[in-house]
Amino acid sequence: MIGLWNSNDAVRYSGALALRVYTSQLLGRDPSLVLHGGGNTSVKLREVNVLGEAVDILYVKGSGWDLATILEPGFAPVRMDHLLKLATLESLSDPQMVSELATHVVRAGAPAPSVEAILHAILPYPYVDHTHADALLAVTNTADGARRIRDIYGDDVVLIPYVMPGFDLARLCAREFPRQAHPRTLGMVLLNHGIFSFGSSARESYERMIALVGRAEVYLERNGAWHLPPARAAAPAASRHDIARLRREISACAGFPMIFATHHDAKFLAFAQRGDIAQISQQGPATPDHVIRTKRVPMLGRDVGAYAAAYCDYFARHAASAKQPKVMLDPAPRVVLDAVFGLGCVGRTVKDAGIVRDVYAHTIDVILAATGLGGYCALSEQDIFDVEYWDLEQAKLKKTGAPPAFAGEVALVTGAASGIGKACVESLVTRGAAVIALDINADIATMFSAPDVLGLRCDVTSPAQISRALDCGVCTFGGLDLLVLNAGIFPGGKRVAALADEEWRRVMQVNLDANLALLRETHALLKLALRGGRVVIIGSKNVPAPGPGAAAYSASKAALTQLARVVALEWGADGIRINTLHPNAVFDTGIWSDEVLAQRARHYGLSVAEYKINNVLKVEVFSRDVAELAAEMCGSLFDKTTGAQVPVDGGNDRVI
Ligand SMILES: [Zn+2]
């Protein structure tokens, strides 16, 4: 474990709270210490309030902040005197505790203080750091974890047996810490949970954390349980249809569409293929708060029904004896281990599935290290249930509003690097979808920075490239729910008498044949969409109202429209809807340079401004207008509509 303290950087942080920010970020930067909002830190300061009174304040990490990115406003200032009094109470329910913390914060608008605020307050040091370090978890999640901690640290640390985080833990520490601590105490180990360090300065507390965790790593190293040799595994062979079918079953079990990201890195495949996987993976999480992300245990293999039944049993076993009535979470797995495709991570969003991946990657490290020490042995089912269903988590469920319309759904858009296609990606992402964005332009790979968009270079006239793109898209997001066929070409105006076969075929190939191939290849995936597959075809005003000089384009879009009508008839029984949009005069696309626009306007004897709104409503039609309508056609408003054609053109007298 290497410390990241850098004196040159540290001088830029002046003041006790600023240095608290600096070393909190250093902890957050190392995922083997804390992950995604895990861990917390604090500093105790004496401040003078507006009345001129000196007040002791605990600045403790606010909920919703991540140590890696925390800033000064991320620390909630709470009155120390009140926290210390709370620590003397015999009992305090979690909702009461949250209320007491919130009402003794001294800055309006501060985040809710960490539920470990009282624990931070009772530790008699200015700076306190808390992590869920992998090495610590590996040592303590063993049958004789307490003995091993004593072997490693002697009496340098206070040792606390596992109790539920929150008030009970603070209460136990308030009693145990003074009993075990002495002037040379460096930290405090919470069995099966994590470790605290503390000090008189930010640097001292941070460096003690690094040193303490380093000692656990050295212990694991000496026992041959750290830096294990890289895993080797058989190559994956799951088809995209197998993955999409499994995603469908998981989504049906959850009751809503889910992202299902699969990872076949050697580490995950080798873990999933271990002979003892049924034993080591079914113990429980490495630290209790991971249960919120990963559920208590992963699903082994693909029997979603059996997993859900076991989850319901687990809930029934423990909910009956709970003090408060509990609302069961959906019984679908969040982690899937499969010998063929490796690790599957399930989440309502791509971000959530990514967090599951990060958490489980570290869980694997902890399990393997503990197994190296003689056996991974997690907390009891009851302890994990108590955290998964504690009042505070249940309260959060009630607060969460409705998710966006397409949360957990996956869309594919062609011609996504510019104009209408790019706008469609944005409209779908805004509505919560993950998007596989295809374009022949290689810039597509880097154009969208959000993890919700997978940009892939793809020539849609190549069946091999379509197949590769679908494999990659399904591996990344799990399946396909929505399809927007937008890619098309519009070559310069040629009269039929001068139209070469080659040009005709090229236009048909891109605008028609490629879309047939895309529809054929995605049909089986769309059939598996939990809410029914939805397809939107970007047609053209030229279908109902063609003009001279665009024979190939108009004919290709007309044939595509007819294809969509037949698809509507054939796929209705599969619950797949397909509708066509006919845009016109959308000038913010790649085709319309200023020059072409000026030339077309001149052709009609209009100024460019007049030409742009040359329609019944006298409005300019933008890519975004088309995209928004395309997205809405995938939504519930159009639930009962298929085979329709809708113009988006400001009103065209020839069409009307
Ligand atoms: Zn913790």
Side-chain angles (χ1 to χ4, degrees), residues 229-252:
R232 286 177 187 282
S239 79
R240 63 175 179 258
H241 297 107
D242 291 343
I243 291 172
R245 210 169 296 119
L246 186 52
R247 168 179 177 254
R248 157 75 193 220
E249 285 178 34
I250 291 169
S251 299

Side-chain angles (χ1 to χ4, degrees), residues 42 44 58 80 83-84 116-125:
S42 67
K44 300 176 183 78
L58 176 81
M80 272 293 287
L83 291 170
L84 293 176
E116 307 294 14
I118 301 172
L119 175 43
H120 280 257
I122 57 118
L123 295 172
Y125 307 88

Side-chain angles (χ1 to χ4, degrees), residues 39-40 116 130 132 193:
N40 39 59
E116 307 294 14
H130 168 49
H132 301 153
H193 174 162

Side-chain angles (χ1 to χ4, degrees), residues 97-114:
M97 179 184 74
V98 168
S99 169
E100 289 300 316
L101 298 182
T103 50
H104 289 80
V105 167
V106 298
R107 190 183 74 232
S114 161

Side-chain angles (χ1 to χ4, degrees), residues 50-401:
V50 287
L51 301 173
E53 301 156 343
V55 206
D56 290 325
I57 302 292
L58 176 81
Y59 279 83
V60 65
K61 192 192 96 162
S63 74
W65 286 78
D66 193 297
L67 288 183
T69 51
I70 198 163
L71 300 168
E72 289 191 18
F75 286 90
V78 199
R79 292 188 69 108
M80 272 293 287
D81 55 350
H82 193 68
L83 291 170
L84 293 176
K85 279 186 221 161
L86 290 175
T88 65
L89 291 175
E90 266 316 306
S91 72
L92 187 65
S93 76
D94 287 320
Q96 272 176 323
M97 179 184 74
V98 168
S99 169
E100 289 300 316
L101 298 182
T103 50
H104 289 80
V105 167
V106 298
R107 190 183 74 232
S114 161
V115 293
E116 307 294 14
I118 301 172
L119 175 43
H120 280 257
I122 57 118
L123 295 172
Y125 307 88
Y127 286 85
V128 175
D129 294 26
H130 168 49
T131 71
H132 301 153
D134 288 354
L136 244 292
L137 296 175
V139 173
T140 65
N141 280 300
T142 54
D144 46 1
R147 187 217 15 112
R148 292 179 188 279
I149 291 298
R150 283 293 173 225
D151 287 352
I152 297 169
Y153 300 111
D155 71 347
D156 289 352
V157 297
V158 166
L159 183 57
I160 304 289
Y162 179 79
V163 287
M164 170 100 174
F167 182 76
D168 292 348
L169 176 60
R171 182 82 193 87
L172 177 64
C173 293
R175 208 176 55 227
E176 273 301 304
F177 193 85
R179 228 174 50 75
Q180 294 184 36
H182 52 76
R184 294 174 320 283
T185 298
L186 300 172
M188 178 168 76
V189 169
L190 309 179
L191 289 178
N192 307 89
H193 174 162
I195 180 166
F196 278 76
S197 65
F198 25 70
S200 54
S201 68
R203 180 175 186 173
E204 183 177 54
S205 186
Y206 171 75
E207 290 187 337
R208 281 181 178 171
M209 175 62 75
I210 300 302
L212 288 169
V213 175
R215 285 161 76 176
E217 290 185 352
V218 168
Y219 176 84
L220 289 165
E221 191 79 71
R222 283 206 192 115
N223 285 277
W226 203 239
H227 295 124
L228 301 168
R232 286 177 187 282
S239 79
R240 63 175 179 258
H241 297 107
D242 291 343
I243 291 172
R245 210 169 296 119
L246 186 52
R247 168 179 177 254
R248 157 75 193 220
E249 285 178 34
I250 291 169
S251 299
C253 173
F256 40 79
M258 298 281 252
I259 298 298
F260 179 52
T262 55
H263 303 276
H264 51 258
D265 319 36
K267 170 177 174 167
F268 300 134
L269 264 177
F271 186 72
Q273 290 170 2
R274 281 178 67 109
D276 58 357
I277 190 66
Q279 200 271 324
I280 61 175
S281 72
Q282 300 298 298
Q283 301 276 319
T287 185
D289 75 347
H290 287 176
V291 71
I292 310 302
R293 301 294 185 179
T294 62
K295 289 239 156 105
R296 195 181 77 84
V297 291
M299 177 169 87
L300 284 183
R302 305 181 193 181
D303 192 342
V304 180
Y307 183 90
Y311 186 85
C312 293
D313 287 349
Y314 152 80
F315 178 80
R317 266 199 301 283
H318 300 288
S321 55
K323 280 184 227 135
Q324 306 286 331
K326 303 293 181 193
V327 179
M328 196 182 89
L329 303 167
D330 74 78
R334 294 300 183 272
V335 178
V336 181
L337 292 168
D338 183 277
V340 176
F341 65 72
L343 174 69
C345 298
V346 182
R348 200 71 209 271
T349 62
V350 175
K351 185 177 169 220
D352 284 350
I355 291 175
V356 171
R357 181 207 165 278
D358 293 347
V359 170
Y360 206 73
H362 284 273
T363 305
I364 291 175
D365 294 341
V366 171
I367 290 176
L368 293 179
T371 303
L373 283 187
Y376 179 65
C377 184
L379 285 168
S380 73
E381 212 182 73
Q382 179 72 56
D383 286 326
I384 298 303
F385 178 87
D386 289 345
V387 172
E388 188 174 7
Y389 283 92
W390 78 344
D391 299 342
L392 303 179
E393 292 299 335
Q394 291 266 299
K396 273 189 216 160
L397 289 181
K398 287 180 199 138
K399 269 188 236 156
T400 50

